[in-house]
Coordinates of all heavy atoms in Angstrom, one line a residue:
M10 N 0.8 -1.2 0.0 CA 0.0 0.0 0.0 C 0.9 1.2 0.0 O 2.1 1.2 0.3 CB -0.9 0.0 1.2 CG -0.2 0.2 2.6 SD -1.3 -0.1 4.0 CE -1.4 -1.8 4.1
A11 N 0.3 2.3 -0.4 CA 1.1 3.6 -0.3 C 1.2 4.0 1.2 O 0.5 3.5 2.0 CB 0.3 4.7 -1.1
L12 N 2.2 4.8 1.4 CA 2.4 5.3 2.8 C 1.8 6.8 2.9 O 1.6 7.4 1.8 CB 3.9 5.3 3.2 CG 4.5 3.9 3.1 CD1 6.0 4.1 3.7 CD2 3.8 2.9 3.8
I13 N 1.6 7.2 4.1 CA 1.1 8.6 4.3 C 1.9 9.3 5.4 O 2.3 8.6 6.4 CB -0.4 8.5 4.6 CG1 -1.0 9.9 4.6 CG2 -0.7 7.8 5.9 CD1 -2.6 9.9 4.6
I14 N 2.1 10.5 5.2 CA 2.9 11.3 6.2 C 1.8 12.0 7.1 O 0.9 12.7 6.6 CB 3.8 12.4 5.5 CG1 4.9 11.6 4.7 CG2 4.4 13.3 6.6 CD1 5.7 12.6 3.9
D15 N 1.9 11.9 8.4 CA 0.9 12.5 9.3 C 1.4 14.0 9.6 O 2.5 14.4 9.3 CB 0.6 11.7 10.5 CG 1.7 11.6 11.5 OD1 2.4 12.7 11.7 OD2 1.8 10.6 12.2
D16 N 0.4 14.7 10.3 CA 0.7 16.1 10.4 C 1.6 16.5 11.5 O 1.8 17.6 11.8 CB -0.7 16.9 10.6 CG -1.5 16.4 11.8 OD1 -0.9 15.7 12.6 OD2 -2.7 16.8 11.9
S17 N 2.3 15.5 12.1 CA 3.4 15.8 13.1 C 4.7 16.0 12.4 O 5.7 16.3 13.0 CB 3.5 14.7 14.1 OG 3.8 13.4 13.5
C18 N 4.7 15.8 11.0 CA 5.9 16.0 10.2 C 6.5 17.4 10.5 O 5.8 18.4 10.6 CB 5.5 15.9 8.7 SG 6.8 16.5 7.6
I19 N 7.9 17.4 10.7 CA 8.5 18.6 11.1 C 9.3 19.2 9.9 O 10.1 20.1 10.0 CB 9.6 18.4 12.2 CG1 10.6 17.3 11.8 CG2 8.8 18.1 13.5 CD1 11.7 17.1 12.8
N20 N 8.9 18.8 8.7 CA 9.5 19.3 7.4 C 11.0 19.4 7.5 O 11.6 20.4 7.1 CB 8.9 20.7 7.2 CG 7.4 20.7 6.9 OD1 6.9 19.7 6.5 ND2 6.7 21.8 7.2
C21 N 11.6 18.3 7.9 CA 13.1 18.2 8.0 C 13.8 18.0 6.7 O 15.0 18.1 6.6 CB 13.5 17.2 9.0 SG 13.3 15.5 8.4
D22 N 13.0 17.7 5.7 CA 13.6 17.5 4.3 C 14.4 16.2 4.1 O 15.0 16.0 3.1 CB 14.5 18.6 3.8 CG 13.8 20.0 3.9 OD1 12.5 20.0 3.7 OD2 14.4 21.0 4.2
M23 N 14.4 15.3 5.1 CA 15.2 14.1 5.0 C 14.6 13.1 4.0 O 15.4 12.5 3.2 CB 15.3 13.4 6.4 CG 16.1 14.1 7.4 SD 17.8 14.1 7.0 CE 18.3 12.4 7.4
C24 N 13.3 13.0 3.9 CA 12.7 11.9 3.1 C 12.6 12.3 1.6 O 12.9 11.4 0.8 CB 11.3 11.6 3.6 SG 10.2 13.0 3.7
E25 N 12.4 13.5 1.3 CA 12.0 13.9 -0.1 C 13.1 13.5 -1.0 O 12.9 12.8 -2.1 CB 11.8 15.4 -0.1 CG 11.3 15.9 -1.5 CD 12.4 16.4 -2.4 OE1 13.5 16.7 -1.8 OE2 12.3 16.4 -3.6
P26 N 14.4 13.8 -0.8 CA 15.4 13.4 -1.8 C 15.7 11.9 -1.8 O 16.4 11.4 -2.7 CB 16.7 14.2 -1.3 CG 16.5 14.4 0.1 CD 15.0 14.6 0.3
E27 N 15.3 11.1 -0.8 CA 15.5 9.7 -0.7 C 14.5 8.9 -1.5 O 14.8 7.7 -1.8 CB 15.6 9.3 0.7 CG 16.6 9.9 1.6 CD 18.0 9.6 1.1 OE1 18.2 8.5 0.5 OE2 18.9 10.4 1.3
C28 N 13.4 9.4 -1.8 CA 12.3 8.6 -2.5 C 12.7 8.3 -3.9 O 12.9 9.2 -4.7 CB 11.0 9.3 -2.5 SG 9.7 8.4 -3.3
P29 N 12.8 7.0 -4.2 CA 13.3 6.6 -5.6 C 12.2 6.9 -6.7 O 12.5 6.8 -7.8 CB 13.5 5.1 -5.4 CG 12.6 4.6 -4.3 CD 12.6 5.8 -3.4
N30 N 11.0 7.1 -6.2 CA 9.9 7.3 -7.2 C 9.5 8.8 -7.3 O 8.5 9.1 -8.0 CB 8.7 6.5 -6.8 CG 8.9 5.0 -7.0 OD1 9.7 4.6 -7.8 ND2 8.2 4.2 -6.2
E31 N 10.2 9.7 -6.6 CA 9.9 11.1 -6.5 C 8.4 11.3 -6.1 O 7.7 12.1 -6.7 CB 10.2 11.8 -7.8 CG 11.7 11.7 -8.1 CD 12.1 12.5 -9.4 OE1 11.2 13.1 -10.0 OE2 13.3 12.5 -9.7
A32 N 8.0 10.5 -5.1 CA 6.6 10.5 -4.7 C 6.3 11.5 -3.6 O 5.2 11.8 -3.2 CB 6.2 9.1 -4.2
I33 N 7.4 12.1 -3.0 CA 7.3 13.0 -1.9 C 7.5 14.4 -2.3 O 8.5 14.7 -2.9 CB 8.3 12.6 -0.8 CG1 8.1 11.1 -0.3 CG2 8.1 13.5 0.4 CD1 9.2 10.6 0.6
T34 N 6.6 15.3 -2.0 CA 6.7 16.7 -2.3 C 6.2 17.5 -1.1 O 5.5 17.0 -0.3 CB 5.9 17.1 -3.5 OG1 4.5 16.7 -3.3 CG2 6.4 16.5 -4.8
M35 N 6.6 18.8 -1.1 CA 6.1 19.7 0.0 C 4.6 20.0 -0.3 O 4.2 20.4 -1.4 CB 6.9 20.9 0.0 CG 6.6 21.9 1.2 SD 7.0 21.1 2.8 CE 6.0 22.1 3.9
G36 N 3.8 19.8 0.7 CA 2.4 20.1 0.6 C 2.1 21.5 1.1 O 3.0 22.3 1.3
E37 N 0.8 21.7 1.5 CA 0.5 23.1 2.0 C 1.1 23.3 3.3 O 1.6 24.4 3.6 CB -1.0 23.2 2.1 CG -1.7 23.5 0.8 CD -3.2 23.8 0.9 OE1 -3.6 24.3 2.0 OE2 -3.9 23.6 -0.1
E38 N 1.2 22.3 4.2 CA 1.8 22.5 5.5 C 3.0 21.6 5.8 O 3.9 22.0 6.4 CB 0.7 22.4 6.6 CG -0.3 23.5 6.4 CD -1.3 23.5 7.6 OE1 -1.1 22.8 8.6 OE2 -2.2 24.4 7.6
V39 N 2.8 20.3 5.4 CA 3.9 19.3 5.6 C 4.1 18.6 4.3 O 3.3 18.7 3.4 CB 3.5 18.4 6.8 CG1 3.5 19.1 8.1 CG2 2.3 17.6 6.5
Y40 N 5.1 17.8 4.3 CA 5.4 16.9 3.2 C 4.3 15.9 2.9 O 3.6 15.5 3.9 CB 6.7 16.2 3.3 CG 7.9 17.1 2.9 CD1 8.5 17.9 3.8 CD2 8.4 17.0 1.6 CE1 9.6 18.7 3.4 CE2 9.5 17.8 1.2 CZ 10.1 18.7 2.1 OH 11.1 19.5 1.7
E41 N 4.1 15.6 1.7 CA 3.0 14.7 1.3 C 3.6 13.6 0.4 O 4.5 13.8 -0.4 CB 1.9 15.4 0.6 CG 1.2 16.4 1.4 CD 0.1 17.2 0.7 OE1 0.1 17.2 -0.6 OE2 -0.7 17.9 1.4
I42 N 2.9 12.4 0.4 CA 3.3 11.3 -0.5 C 2.1 11.1 -1.5 O 1.0 11.1 -1.2 CB 3.4 10.0 0.3 CG1 4.7 10.1 1.2 CG2 3.6 8.8 -0.7 CD1 4.8 9.0 2.2
D43 N 2.5 11.1 -2.8 CA 1.5 10.8 -3.9 C 1.3 9.3 -3.9 O 2.2 8.6 -4.3 CB 2.1 11.3 -5.2 CG 1.1 11.1 -6.4 OD1 0.1 10.4 -6.2 OD2 1.3 11.7 -7.4
P44 N 0.1 8.9 -3.6 CA -0.2 7.4 -3.6 C 0.0 6.8 -4.9 O 0.2 5.6 -5.0 CB -1.6 7.3 -3.0 CG -2.2 8.7 -3.2 CD -1.1 9.7 -3.2
A45 N -0.2 7.6 -6.0 CA 0.0 7.0 -7.3 C 1.5 6.7 -7.7 O 1.7 5.9 -8.6 CB -0.6 8.0 -8.4
L46 N 2.4 7.3 -6.9 CA 3.8 7.1 -7.2 C 4.5 6.2 -6.1 O 5.6 5.7 -6.3 CB 4.5 8.4 -7.3 CG 4.1 9.3 -8.5 CD1 4.9 10.6 -8.4 CD2 4.5 8.5 -9.8
C47 N 3.9 6.1 -4.9 CA 4.5 5.3 -3.8 C 4.3 3.9 -4.0 O 3.2 3.4 -4.1 CB 4.0 5.8 -2.5 SG 4.7 4.8 -1.1
T48 N 5.4 3.1 -4.1 CA 5.3 1.7 -4.2 C 5.8 1.0 -2.9 O 6.0 -0.2 -2.8 CB 6.2 1.1 -5.3 OG1 7.6 1.4 -5.0 CG2 5.8 1.6 -6.6
E49 N 5.8 1.8 -1.8 CA 6.4 1.3 -0.5 C 7.8 0.8 -0.7 O 8.4 0.0 -0.1 CB 5.5 0.2 0.1 CG 5.5 0.2 1.6 CD 4.5 -0.9 2.2 OE1 3.4 -0.9 1.6 OE2 4.9 -1.5 3.1
C50 N 8.4 1.4 -1.8 CA 9.8 1.1 -2.2 C 10.0 -0.2 -2.8 O 11.1 -0.7 -3.1 CB 10.8 1.4 -1.1 SG 11.2 3.1 -0.8
V51 N 8.9 -0.9 -3.0 CA 8.9 -2.2 -3.7 C 9.6 -2.0 -5.1 O 9.2 -1.1 -5.8 CB 7.5 -2.9 -3.9 CG1 7.5 -4.0 -4.9 CG2 7.1 -3.3 -2.5
G52 N 10.5 -2.9 -5.5 CA 11.2 -2.8 -6.7 C 12.5 -2.1 -6.6 O 13.4 -2.3 -7.4
H53 N 12.6 -1.3 -5.5 CA 13.9 -0.5 -5.3 C 14.7 -1.0 -4.1 O 15.8 -1.3 -4.1 CB 13.6 1.0 -5.1 CG 13.0 1.7 -6.3 ND1 13.8 2.1 -7.3 CD2 11.7 2.0 -6.6 CE1 13.0 2.7 -8.2 NE2 11.8 2.7 -7.8
Y54 N 14.0 -1.1 -3.0 CA 14.6 -1.4 -1.7 C 13.8 -2.5 -0.9 O 12.6 -2.7 -1.2 CB 14.7 -0.2 -0.8 CG 15.4 1.0 -1.4 CD1 14.8 2.2 -1.5 CD2 16.7 0.9 -1.9 CE1 15.4 3.3 -2.1 CE2 17.4 1.9 -2.5 CZ 16.7 3.1 -2.6 OH 17.3 4.2 -3.2
D55 N 14.4 -3.1 0.1 CA 13.7 -4.1 0.9 C 12.7 -3.5 1.8 O 11.7 -4.2 2.2 CB 14.7 -4.9 1.7 CG 15.6 -5.8 0.9 OD1 15.2 -6.1 -0.3 OD2 16.7 -6.2 1.4
K56 N 12.8 -2.2 2.2 CA 11.8 -1.6 3.1 C 11.7 -0.1 2.7 O 12.7 0.4 2.0 CB 12.2 -1.8 4.5 CG 13.6 -1.4 4.9 CD 13.8 -1.8 6.4 CE 15.2 -1.4 6.8 NZ 15.5 -1.6 8.2
P57 N 10.7 0.5 3.1 CA 10.5 1.9 2.7 C 11.6 2.8 3.2 O 11.8 2.9 4.5 CB 9.1 2.3 3.4 CG 8.4 1.0 3.6 CD 9.5 0.0 3.9
T58 N 12.3 3.5 2.3 CA 13.4 4.2 2.7 C 13.0 5.5 3.4 O 13.8 6.0 4.3 CB 14.3 4.5 1.5 OG1 15.6 4.9 1.9 CG2 13.8 5.5 0.6
C59 N 11.9 6.1 3.1 CA 11.4 7.3 3.8 C 11.2 7.0 5.3 O 11.6 7.8 6.1 CB 10.2 7.9 3.2 SG 8.8 6.7 3.1
V60 N 10.7 5.8 5.6 CA 10.5 5.5 7.0 C 11.8 5.3 7.7 O 12.0 5.8 8.8 CB 9.7 4.2 7.1 CG1 9.6 3.7 8.5 CG2 8.3 4.3 6.5
S61 N 12.8 4.8 7.0 CA 14.1 4.6 7.6 C 14.8 5.9 7.9 O 15.5 6.0 8.9 CB 15.0 3.8 6.6 OG 14.5 2.5 6.4
V62 N 14.6 6.9 7.1 CA 15.3 8.2 7.4 C 14.5 9.2 8.2 O 15.1 10.2 8.7 CB 15.7 8.9 6.1 CG1 16.6 8.0 5.2 CG2 14.5 9.3 5.2
C63 N 13.2 9.0 8.4 CA 12.4 9.9 9.2 C 12.8 9.9 10.6 O 12.7 8.9 11.3 CB 10.9 9.6 9.0 SG 9.9 10.8 9.9
P64 N 13.2 11.1 11.2 CA 13.6 11.1 12.6 C 12.5 11.0 13.6 O 12.8 10.7 14.8 CB 14.4 12.4 12.7 CG 13.7 13.3 11.7 CD 13.3 12.4 10.5
I65 N 11.3 11.2 13.2 CA 10.2 11.2 14.2 C 9.1 10.2 13.9 O 8.1 10.2 14.6 CB 9.6 12.6 14.3 CG1 8.9 13.0 13.0 CG2 10.6 13.7 14.7 CD1 7.9 14.2 13.2
D66 N 9.4 9.3 13.0 CA 8.5 8.2 12.8 C 7.0 8.6 12.5 O 6.1 8.2 13.2 CB 8.5 7.3 14.0 CG 7.9 5.9 13.7 OD1 7.8 5.5 12.6 OD2 7.5 5.2 14.7
C67 N 6.9 9.5 11.5 CA 5.5 10.0 11.3 C 5.0 9.6 9.9 O 4.1 10.2 9.4 CB 5.5 11.6 11.3 SG 6.4 12.4 10.0
I68 N 5.6 8.5 9.4 CA 5.2 7.9 8.1 C 4.6 6.6 8.3 O 5.3 5.7 8.9 CB 6.3 7.9 7.0 CG1 7.0 9.2 7.0 CG2 5.8 7.4 5.7 CD1 8.3 9.2 6.1
D69 N 3.3 6.4 7.9 CA 2.6 5.1 8.2 C 1.9 4.6 7.0 O 1.7 5.3 6.0 CB 1.6 5.4 9.3 CG 2.2 5.8 10.6 OD1 3.0 5.0 11.1 OD2 1.9 6.9 11.1
P70 N 1.5 3.3 7.0 CA 0.7 2.8 5.9 C -0.6 3.6 5.8 O -1.2 4.0 6.8 CB 0.4 1.3 6.3 CG 1.5 1.0 7.3 CD 1.9 2.3 8.0
D71 N -1.0 3.8 4.5 CA -2.2 4.6 4.3 C -3.4 3.6 4.1 O -3.5 2.9 3.1 CB -2.0 5.4 3.0 CG -3.2 6.3 2.7 OD1 -4.3 6.1 3.4 OD2 -3.2 7.1 1.8
P72 N -4.3 3.5 5.1 CA -5.4 2.5 5.0 C -6.3 2.8 3.8 O -7.1 1.9 3.4 CB -6.1 2.7 6.3 CG -5.7 4.0 6.8 CD -4.4 4.3 6.3
E73 N -6.2 3.9 3.2 CA -7.1 4.2 2.0 C -6.4 3.8 0.7 O -7.0 3.9 -0.4 CB -7.5 5.7 2.0 CG -8.3 6.1 3.1 CD -8.9 7.5 3.0 OE1 -8.7 8.1 1.9 OE2 -9.5 8.0 3.9
H74 N -5.2 3.3 0.8 CA -4.5 2.9 -0.4 C -3.8 1.6 -0.1 O -2.6 1.5 -0.2 CB -3.5 3.9 -0.9 CG -4.1 5.2 -1.3 ND1 -4.3 6.3 -0.5 CD2 -4.7 5.5 -2.5 CE1 -4.9 7.2 -1.2 NE2 -5.2 6.8 -2.4
I75 N -4.6 0.5 0.1 CA -4.1 -0.8 0.4 C -3.9 -1.5 -0.9 O -4.8 -1.6 -1.8 CB -5.1 -1.6 1.3 CG1 -5.1 -0.9 2.7 CG2 -4.6 -3.0 1.4 CD1 -6.2 -1.5 3.6
E76 N -2.7 -2.0 -1.1 CA -2.3 -2.7 -2.4 C -1.5 -4.0 -2.0 O -0.7 -4.0 -1.1 CB -1.5 -1.8 -3.3 CG -2.2 -0.6 -3.8 CD -1.3 0.5 -4.2 OE1 -0.6 1.1 -3.3 OE2 -1.2 0.8 -5.4
S77 N -1.7 -5.0 -2.9 CA -0.9 -6.2 -2.7 C 0.5 -6.0 -3.2 O 0.8 -5.1 -3.9 CB -1.5 -7.4 -3.5 OG -1.4 -7.1 -4.9
Q78 N 1.4 -7.0 -2.8 CA 2.8 -6.9 -3.3 C 2.8 -6.9 -4.8 O 3.5 -6.2 -5.5 CB 3.5 -8.1 -2.8 CG 5.0 -8.1 -3.0 CD 5.8 -7.2 -2.0 OE1 5.2 -6.6 -1.1 NE2 7.1 -7.2 -2.2
D79 N 1.9 -7.7 -5.4 CA 1.9 -7.8 -6.9 C 1.4 -6.5 -7.5 O 2.0 -6.0 -8.5 CB 0.9 -8.9 -7.4 CG 1.5 -10.3 -7.2 OD1 2.7 -10.4 -6.9 OD2 0.7 -11.3 -7.3
A80 N 0.5 -5.8 -6.9 CA 0.0 -4.5 -7.4 C 1.1 -3.5 -7.3 O 1.3 -2.7 -8.2 CB -1.2 -4.1 -6.6
L81 N 1.9 -3.6 -6.2 CA 3.0 -2.6 -6.0 C 4.1 -2.9 -7.1 O 4.7 -1.9 -7.6 CB 3.6 -2.7 -4.6 CG 2.7 -2.2 -3.5 CD1 3.3 -2.6 -2.2 CD2 2.5 -0.7 -3.6
L82 N 4.3 -4.1 -7.4 CA 5.3 -4.4 -8.5 C 4.8 -3.9 -9.9 O 5.6 -3.4 -10.7 CB 5.5 -5.9 -8.5 CG 6.5 -6.5 -7.5 CD1 6.5 -8.0 -7.5 CD2 7.9 -6.0 -7.7
I83 N 3.5 -4.1 -10.1 CA 3.0 -3.6 -11.4 C 3.1 -2.0 -11.4 O 3.4 -1.5 -12.4 CB 1.5 -4.0 -11.5 CG1 1.4 -5.5 -11.7 CG2 0.8 -3.3 -12.6 CD1 0.1 -6.1 -11.6
K84 N 2.8 -1.4 -10.3 CA 3.0 0.1 -10.2 C 4.4 0.5 -10.4 O 4.7 1.4 -11.2 CB 2.5 0.6 -8.9 CG 2.3 2.1 -8.8 CD 2.3 2.6 -7.4 CE 1.0 2.4 -6.7 NZ 0.9 3.1 -5.4
Y85 N 5.3 -0.3 -9.8 CA 6.8 0.0 -10.0 C 7.1 -0.1 -11.5 O 7.8 0.8 -12.0 CB 7.6 -1.0 -9.2 CG 9.1 -1.1 -9.6 CD1 10.0 -0.2 -9.1 CD2 9.5 -2.1 -10.5 CE1 11.3 -0.3 -9.5 CE2 10.8 -2.2 -10.9 CZ 11.7 -1.3 -10.3 OH 13.0 -1.4 -10.7
A86 N 6.7 -1.2 -12.2 CA 7.0 -1.4 -13.6 C 6.4 -0.2 -14.4 O 7.0 0.3 -15.4 CB 6.4 -2.7 -14.1
A87 N 5.2 0.2 -14.1 CA 4.5 1.3 -14.8 C 5.3 2.6 -14.6 O 5.5 3.4 -15.6 CB 3.1 1.5 -14.4
I88 N 5.8 2.9 -13.4 CA 6.5 4.1 -13.1 C 7.8 4.2 -13.8 O 8.2 5.2 -14.4 CB 6.6 4.3 -11.6 CG1 5.3 4.6 -11.0 CG2 7.5 5.5 -11.3 CD1 5.3 4.5 -9.4
T89 N 8.6 3.1 -13.7 CA 10.0 3.0 -14.1 C 10.2 2.5 -15.5 O 11.2 2.7 -16.1 CB 10.8 2.2 -13.2 OG1 10.3 0.8 -13.2 CG2 10.7 2.7 -11.7
G90 N 9.2 1.8 -16.0 CA 9.4 1.1 -17.3 C 10.2 -0.1 -17.2 O 10.7 -0.7 -18.2
K91 N 10.5 -0.6 -16.0 CA 11.4 -1.7 -15.8 C 10.6 -2.8 -15.1 O 9.6 -2.6 -14.4 CB 12.5 -1.4 -14.8 CG 13.5 -0.4 -15.4 CD 14.6 -0.3 -14.4 CE 15.0 1.2 -14.2 NZ 15.9 1.4 -13.0
L92 N 11.0 -4.1 -15.3 CA 10.5 -5.2 -14.5 C 11.3 -5.3 -13.2 O 12.6 -5.2 -13.3 CB 10.5 -6.5 -15.3 CG 9.6 -6.5 -16.5 CD1 9.9 -7.8 -17.3 CD2 8.2 -6.4 -16.1
A93 N 10.7 -5.6 -12.1 CA 11.4 -5.7 -10.8 C 12.2 -7.0 -10.9 O 11.8 -8.0 -11.6 CB 10.4 -5.7 -9.7
D94 N 13.2 -7.1 -10.1 CA 14.1 -8.3 -10.0 C 13.3 -9.4 -9.4 O 12.5 -9.2 -8.5 CB 15.3 -8.1 -9.1 CG 16.2 -7.0 -9.7 OD1 16.1 -6.9 -11.0 OD2 16.9 -6.3 -9.0
Ligands
LIG213 FE1 8.9 6.9 -1.7 FE2 9.4 4.5 -0.9 FE3 8.5 6.3 0.8 FE4 6.9 5.4 -1.0 S1 7.8 4.2 0.7 S2 7.1 7.5 -0.5 S3 8.3 5.0 -2.7 S4 10.5 6.4 -0.2
LIG214 FE1 8.5 14.9 7.6 FE2 9.7 12.7 8.4 FE3 9.9 13.5 5.9 FE4 11.2 14.8 7.9 S1 11.6 12.7 7.2 S2 10.0 15.8 6.2 S3 9.7 14.6 9.5 S4 8.0 12.9 6.9

């Protein structure tokens, strides 16, 4: 599933440059994740890299965007034009 940044985000800028899908951008008040671009890092890394770098643990699974591993791989292929390993 896509991930979501909650409103406790301190806009530290750590996650945005780390996202391999460029899914993270500055929103009106805090950073936001585009669910159409977030693959939970499937296809790129073993675990979500934004979660790994966030100093305050404010990035969580988005219950409104639940996707299977296969769906995330298909999304990865659509975004990158590559097949996952
Ligand atoms: Fe980007 Fe990965 Fe975080 Fe999704 S989980 S927003 S793809 S860094
Ligand atoms: Fe916000 Fe965490 Fe991203 Fe920093 S790393 S901008 S606190 S979501």
Side-chain angles (χ1 to χ4, degrees):
M10 67 187 80
L12 302 187
I13 190 167
I14 295 171
D15 73 35
D16 59 11
S17 64
C18 168
I19 56 173
N20 297 333
C21 73
D22 305 326
M23 291 290 289
C24 58
E25 186 267 338
E27 298 297 330
C28 177
N30 293 334
E31 299 184 0
I33 303 174
T34 54
M35 187 63 200
E37 281 189 24
E38 296 192 2
V39 295
Y40 276 87
E41 295 176 348
I42 293 173
D43 181 346
L46 293 176
C47 177
T48 62
E49 213 173 317
C50 285
V51 166
H53 294 283
Y54 306 123
D55 290 341
K56 51 187 183 176
T58 197
C59 56
V60 173
S61 298
V62 300
C63 181
I65 63 161
D66 194 21
C67 69
I68 308 174
D69 296 302
D71 181 354
E73 293 189 8
H74 292 97
I75 294 173
E76 295 157 291
S77 68
Q78 188 81 0
D79 284 349
L81 292 170
L82 279 170
I83 290 167
K84 192 197 282 189
Y85 164 83
I88 292 168
T89 63
K91 297 183 219 167
L92 293 174
D94 295 334

